[in-house]
Amino acid sequence: MPGTHIPRRAKRGLAAVLAAGSALTVFAAATPAGATTPGATAGGSKVTCTSQQHGLADRLERDLTTALHGHGNASALALYDRTTATTCTFKADQAFDSASVIKVTVLGALLRQATERHRALTSREVALTTAMITKSDNDATNALWHQIGHAGIQHFLDVAGMRDTVPGPKGKWGRTQITAGDQVKLLRLLTSDNQVLDTGARTYALRLMNRVVPEQRWGAPAGAPRTATVHVKNGWLPLDTNGWHVHSLGVFTGRGHDYGMAVLSHGNRTMQKGVATVESAARVINRDLNLSTTS
């Protein structure tokens, strides 16, 4: 992906957008726990949430609809929170070009392959995966994508249940078709016991996502509580069709936190507008889920 940071002028414009986004009103909730509620739509689709926390589903639906206003035609998201048994989806089955968020899938496929072959990662693989995740290095990703092979990537998608993900053609991993729903399936696998990724693989992947370089820690971490351990991977890609693709995956653990989100967007005129779109939704999610712990 081009670049590894947002220009200074873009940051100033982005700060103004986010300041406005942080002033979104938290709506009072009056629905039974676990219920979903009717409401406005964004881009003709409805944000749908369920929760065991009283009123949380209603609050998230309303606040996310507000955050996505004007961006609904070109955005999608999915989230889970195990603490409150909360889920939300918005166009979670819509396909997007992956850009670099696919690198978490590449990492998962390598770790699964190594486990099946009863071996540890080589020093070369450690160096490549570290560069791929923490710095979003494309050369490292190219090397691993070709090493694992199309069959290896597809095998991981099959065992992970990521049925809506289609690997990019002719080695073009950034053009892999992904959905927010499948990305959240992957985040769930990284954060709970399962038959796909063992404890060592999950710990390794999360450690790398926690060490992403500071200039790439935008997106899902926006508004995250200081008590959470943040794991993130972002992707950004300008295309002739659908403009800038800007995506963010985030997992939040530790100190009572156990949730994750995937926020995808395309059709952005600039990268910074895409970041603002993703972060407006992420701020709502981080705020509303953590308000629930003190309400």
Side-chain angles (χ1 to χ4, degrees), residues 107 121 126 130 133-134 190 199-212 217 229-232:
L107 176 60
L121 296 186
V126 169
T130 299
I133 299 298
T134 66
L190 291 176
T199 301
R202 298 194 306 271
T203 299
Y204 182 75
L206 289 175
R207 183 165 66 244
L208 291 183
M209 292 174 70
N210 177 247
R211 292 169 51 197
V212 166
R217 297 184 69 82
T229 301
V230 177
H231 317 267
V232 63

mmCIF file of all heavy atoms in Angstrom, residues 107 121 126 130 133-134 190 199-212 217 229-232:
data_model
loop_
_atom_site.group_PDB
_atom_site.id
_atom_site.type_symbol
_atom_site.label_atom_id
_atom_site.label_comp_id
_atom_site.label_asym_id
_atom_site.label_seq_id
_atom_site.Cartn_x
_atom_site.Cartn_y
_atom_site.Cartn_z
ATOM 1 N N LEU A 107 -1.279 -14.032 7.837
ATOM 2 C CA LEU A 107 -0.624 -14.496 9.060
ATOM 3 C C LEU A 107 -1.335 -15.727 9.615
ATOM 4 O O LEU A 107 -0.690 -16.713 9.989
ATOM 5 C CB LEU A 107 -0.610 -13.379 10.105
ATOM 6 C CG LEU A 107 -0.036 -13.736 11.475
ATOM 7 C CD1 LEU A 107 1.412 -14.179 11.373
ATOM 8 C CD2 LEU A 107 -0.164 -12.543 12.422
ATOM 9 N N LEU A 121 7.685 -21.512 13.429
ATOM 10 C CA LEU A 121 8.059 -20.580 12.377
ATOM 11 C C LEU A 121 9.577 -20.486 12.295
ATOM 12 O O LEU A 121 10.278 -20.535 13.309
ATOM 13 C CB LEU A 121 7.494 -19.189 12.649
ATOM 14 C CG LEU A 121 5.964 -19.017 12.656
ATOM 15 C CD1 LEU A 121 5.625 -17.528 12.789
ATOM 16 C CD2 LEU A 121 5.322 -19.607 11.415
ATOM 17 N N VAL A 126 9.535 -15.366 10.926
ATOM 18 C CA VAL A 126 9.330 -14.412 12.025
ATOM 19 C C VAL A 126 9.628 -13.002 11.542
ATOM 20 O O VAL A 126 8.873 -12.053 11.807
ATOM 21 C CB VAL A 126 10.208 -14.778 13.232
ATOM 22 C CG1 VAL A 126 10.208 -13.650 14.264
ATOM 23 C CG2 VAL A 126 9.717 -16.074 13.866
ATOM 24 N N THR A 130 6.654 -10.195 11.112
ATOM 25 C CA THR A 130 6.797 -8.979 11.920
ATOM 26 C C THR A 130 6.728 -7.740 11.045
ATOM 27 O O THR A 130 6.015 -6.777 11.344
ATOM 28 C CB THR A 130 8.116 -9.007 12.698
ATOM 29 O OG1 THR A 130 8.126 -10.138 13.573
ATOM 30 C CG2 THR A 130 8.287 -7.737 13.521
ATOM 31 N N ILE A 133 2.995 -7.240 9.557
ATOM 32 C CA ILE A 133 1.943 -6.757 10.456
ATOM 33 C C ILE A 133 2.318 -5.429 11.100
ATOM 34 O O ILE A 133 1.525 -4.481 11.085
ATOM 35 C CB ILE A 133 1.640 -7.797 11.547
ATOM 36 C CG1 ILE A 133 1.135 -9.111 10.910
ATOM 37 C CG2 ILE A 133 0.587 -7.241 12.517
ATOM 38 C CD1 ILE A 133 -0.157 -8.988 10.120
ATOM 39 N N THR A 134 3.502 -5.309 11.658
ATOM 40 C CA THR A 134 3.821 -4.095 12.425
ATOM 41 C C THR A 134 4.107 -2.884 11.543
ATOM 42 O O THR A 134 3.863 -1.747 11.947
ATOM 43 C CB THR A 134 5.024 -4.329 13.352
ATOM 44 O OG1 THR A 134 6.199 -4.560 12.567
ATOM 45 C CG2 THR A 134 4.774 -5.515 14.280
ATOM 46 N N LEU A 190 -8.935 -15.215 16.858
ATOM 47 C CA LEU A 190 -7.694 -14.758 17.478
ATOM 48 C C LEU A 190 -7.829 -14.554 18.985
ATOM 49 O O LEU A 190 -6.814 -14.417 19.679
ATOM 50 C CB LEU A 190 -7.239 -13.440 16.839
ATOM 51 C CG LEU A 190 -6.759 -13.510 15.391
ATOM 52 C CD1 LEU A 190 -6.448 -12.104 14.875
ATOM 53 C CD2 LEU A 190 -5.535 -14.414 15.252
ATOM 54 N N THR A 199 -3.227 -21.823 21.003
ATOM 55 C CA THR A 199 -2.880 -20.732 21.913
ATOM 56 C C THR A 199 -1.624 -19.997 21.467
ATOM 57 O O THR A 199 -1.562 -18.761 21.477
ATOM 58 C CB THR A 199 -2.691 -21.261 23.339
ATOM 59 O OG1 THR A 199 -3.906 -21.886 23.773
ATOM 60 C CG2 THR A 199 -2.344 -20.137 24.302
ATOM 61 N N GLY A 200 -0.606 -20.747 21.066
ATOM 62 C CA GLY A 200 0.637 -20.117 20.640
ATOM 63 C C GLY A 200 0.452 -19.241 19.404
ATOM 64 O O GLY A 200 0.997 -18.136 19.331
ATOM 65 N N ALA A 201 -0.337 -19.718 18.451
ATOM 66 C CA ALA A 201 -0.589 -18.955 17.233
ATOM 67 C C ALA A 201 -1.359 -17.680 17.543
ATOM 68 O O ALA A 201 -1.032 -16.597 17.033
ATOM 69 C CB ALA A 201 -1.365 -19.809 16.229
ATOM 70 N N ARG A 202 -2.381 -17.792 18.387
ATOM 71 C CA ARG A 202 -3.185 -16.614 18.736
ATOM 72 C C ARG A 202 -2.342 -15.580 19.477
ATOM 73 O O ARG A 202 -2.422 -14.375 19.204
ATOM 74 C CB ARG A 202 -4.385 -17.030 19.589
ATOM 75 C CG ARG A 202 -5.348 -17.964 18.889
ATOM 76 C CD ARG A 202 -6.669 -18.070 19.620
ATOM 77 N NE ARG A 202 -6.529 -18.446 21.013
ATOM 78 C CZ ARG A 202 -6.501 -19.705 21.462
ATOM 79 N NH1 ARG A 202 -6.567 -20.718 20.606
ATOM 80 N NH2 ARG A 202 -6.403 -19.966 22.751
ATOM 81 N N THR A 203 -1.540 -16.040 20.417
ATOM 82 C CA THR A 203 -0.702 -15.125 21.192
ATOM 83 C C THR A 203 0.276 -14.394 20.284
ATOM 84 O O THR A 203 0.483 -13.179 20.414
ATOM 85 C CB THR A 203 0.061 -15.903 22.281
ATOM 86 O OG1 THR A 203 -0.881 -16.524 23.159
ATOM 87 C CG2 THR A 203 0.963 -14.974 23.071
ATOM 88 N N TYR A 204 0.863 -15.110 19.349
ATOM 89 C CA TYR A 204 1.832 -14.522 18.424
ATOM 90 C C TYR A 204 1.164 -13.459 17.552
ATOM 91 O O TYR A 204 1.685 -12.344 17.390
ATOM 92 C CB TYR A 204 2.439 -15.614 17.552
ATOM 93 C CG TYR A 204 3.498 -15.109 16.592
ATOM 94 C CD1 TYR A 204 4.766 -14.759 17.046
ATOM 95 C CD2 TYR A 204 3.218 -14.993 15.240
ATOM 96 C CE1 TYR A 204 5.739 -14.299 16.162
ATOM 97 C CE2 TYR A 204 4.190 -14.538 14.349
ATOM 98 C CZ TYR A 204 5.439 -14.192 14.818
ATOM 99 O OH TYR A 204 6.401 -13.721 13.946
ATOM 100 N N ALA A 205 0.012 -13.781 16.983
ATOM 101 C CA ALA A 205 -0.692 -12.842 16.103
ATOM 102 C C ALA A 205 -1.097 -11.578 16.850
ATOM 103 O O ALA A 205 -0.900 -10.454 16.361
ATOM 104 C CB ALA A 205 -1.915 -13.515 15.495
ATOM 105 N N LEU A 206 -1.647 -11.731 18.039
ATOM 106 C CA LEU A 206 -2.079 -10.563 18.806
ATOM 107 C C LEU A 206 -0.896 -9.715 19.248
ATOM 108 O O LEU A 206 -0.989 -8.483 19.300
ATOM 109 C CB LEU A 206 -2.901 -11.008 20.016
ATOM 110 C CG LEU A 206 -4.291 -11.559 19.705
ATOM 111 C CD1 LEU A 206 -4.959 -12.075 20.980
ATOM 112 C CD2 LEU A 206 -5.177 -10.510 19.037
ATOM 113 N N ARG A 207 0.224 -10.364 19.562
ATOM 114 C CA ARG A 207 1.405 -9.599 19.958
ATOM 115 C C ARG A 207 1.877 -8.705 18.810
ATOM 116 O O ARG A 207 2.225 -7.537 19.027
ATOM 117 C CB ARG A 207 2.524 -10.540 20.400
ATOM 118 C CG ARG A 207 3.766 -9.794 20.902
ATOM 119 C CD ARG A 207 4.700 -10.718 21.650
ATOM 120 N NE ARG A 207 5.283 -11.725 20.787
ATOM 121 C CZ ARG A 207 5.078 -13.038 20.911
ATOM 122 N NH1 ARG A 207 4.291 -13.499 21.871
ATOM 123 N NH2 ARG A 207 5.661 -13.893 20.089
ATOM 124 N N LEU A 208 1.860 -9.226 17.600
ATOM 125 C CA LEU A 208 2.259 -8.413 16.451
ATOM 126 C C LEU A 208 1.269 -7.273 16.220
ATOM 127 O O LEU A 208 1.680 -6.129 15.949
ATOM 128 C CB LEU A 208 2.358 -9.279 15.191
ATOM 129 C CG LEU A 208 3.492 -10.300 15.150
ATOM 130 C CD1 LEU A 208 3.496 -11.028 13.807
ATOM 131 C CD2 LEU A 208 4.847 -9.653 15.404
ATOM 132 N N MET A 209 -0.013 -7.542 16.322
ATOM 133 C CA MET A 209 -1.015 -6.493 16.113
ATOM 134 C C MET A 209 -0.941 -5.422 17.196
ATOM 135 O O MET A 209 -1.311 -4.271 16.968
ATOM 136 C CB MET A 209 -2.411 -7.104 16.048
ATOM 137 C CG MET A 209 -2.647 -7.970 14.819
ATOM 138 S SD MET A 209 -4.239 -8.832 14.852
ATOM 139 C CE MET A 209 -5.368 -7.449 14.622
ATOM 140 N N ASN A 210 -0.451 -5.780 18.355
ATOM 141 C CA ASN A 210 -0.267 -4.821 19.436
ATOM 142 C C ASN A 210 0.967 -3.946 19.223
ATOM 143 O O ASN A 210 1.085 -2.870 19.812
ATOM 144 C CB ASN A 210 -0.152 -5.562 20.769
ATOM 145 C CG ASN A 210 0.103 -4.647 21.939
ATOM 146 O OD1 ASN A 210 1.169 -4.684 22.557
ATOM 147 N ND2 ASN A 210 -0.866 -3.808 22.271
ATOM 148 N N ARG A 211 1.867 -4.388 18.340
ATOM 149 C CA ARG A 211 3.132 -3.675 18.114
ATOM 150 C C ARG A 211 3.151 -2.891 16.802
ATOM 151 O O ARG A 211 4.215 -2.473 16.344
ATOM 152 C CB ARG A 211 4.285 -4.685 18.133
ATOM 153 C CG ARG A 211 4.554 -5.306 19.501
ATOM 154 C CD ARG A 211 5.520 -6.468 19.394
ATOM 155 N NE ARG A 211 6.735 -6.107 18.650
ATOM 156 C CZ ARG A 211 7.585 -6.992 18.126
ATOM 157 N NH1 ARG A 211 7.346 -8.291 18.247
ATOM 158 N NH2 ARG A 211 8.651 -6.582 17.474
ATOM 159 N N VAL A 212 1.991 -2.671 16.205
ATOM 160 C CA VAL A 212 1.936 -1.872 14.976
ATOM 161 C C VAL A 212 2.530 -0.491 15.241
ATOM 162 O O VAL A 212 2.299 0.111 16.303
ATOM 163 C CB VAL A 212 0.474 -1.758 14.482
ATOM 164 C CG1 VAL A 212 0.322 -0.665 13.431
ATOM 165 C CG2 VAL A 212 0.009 -3.098 13.918
ATOM 166 N N ARG A 217 -1.532 3.420 13.821
ATOM 167 C CA ARG A 217 -2.457 3.010 14.873
ATOM 168 C C ARG A 217 -3.728 3.873 14.889
ATOM 169 O O ARG A 217 -4.282 4.174 15.941
ATOM 170 C CB ARG A 217 -1.762 3.034 16.235
ATOM 171 C CG ARG A 217 -0.616 2.043 16.322
ATOM 172 C CD ARG A 217 0.008 2.003 17.699
ATOM 173 N NE ARG A 217 -0.889 1.430 18.692
ATOM 174 C CZ ARG A 217 -1.062 0.132 18.882
ATOM 175 N NH1 ARG A 217 -0.401 -0.744 18.143
ATOM 176 N NH2 ARG A 217 -1.888 -0.310 19.797
ATOM 177 N N THR A 229 -5.918 -3.274 26.185
ATOM 178 C CA THR A 229 -4.779 -3.593 25.344
ATOM 179 C C THR A 229 -5.282 -3.620 23.906
ATOM 180 O O THR A 229 -6.205 -4.369 23.585
ATOM 181 C CB THR A 229 -4.178 -4.955 25.712
ATOM 182 O OG1 THR A 229 -3.767 -4.930 27.080
ATOM 183 C CG2 THR A 229 -2.982 -5.274 24.842
ATOM 184 N N VAL A 230 -4.698 -2.784 23.054
ATOM 185 C CA VAL A 230 -5.215 -2.569 21.701
ATOM 186 C C VAL A 230 -4.375 -3.335 20.682
ATOM 187 O O VAL A 230 -3.150 -3.257 20.685
ATOM 188 C CB VAL A 230 -5.220 -1.066 21.353
ATOM 189 C CG1 VAL A 230 -5.696 -0.838 19.925
ATOM 190 C CG2 VAL A 230 -6.100 -0.304 22.345
ATOM 191 N N HIS A 231 -5.073 -4.056 19.804
ATOM 192 C CA HIS A 231 -4.452 -4.780 18.698
ATOM 193 C C HIS A 231 -5.125 -4.283 17.422
ATOM 194 O O HIS A 231 -6.354 -4.300 17.312
ATOM 195 C CB HIS A 231 -4.659 -6.280 18.849
ATOM 196 C CG HIS A 231 -4.459 -6.789 20.244
ATOM 197 N ND1 HIS A 231 -3.252 -7.278 20.704
ATOM 198 C CD2 HIS A 231 -5.326 -6.869 21.290
ATOM 199 C CE1 HIS A 231 -3.379 -7.646 21.970
ATOM 200 N NE2 HIS A 231 -4.634 -7.402 22.344
ATOM 201 N N VAL A 232 -4.339 -3.874 16.425
ATOM 202 C CA VAL A 232 -4.931 -3.230 15.254
ATOM 203 C C VAL A 232 -4.219 -3.648 13.975
ATOM 204 O O VAL A 232 -3.030 -4.007 14.000
ATOM 205 C CB VAL A 232 -4.878 -1.684 15.403
ATOM 206 C CG1 VAL A 232 -3.439 -1.189 15.458
ATOM 207 C CG2 VAL A 232 -5.656 -0.980 14.307
#
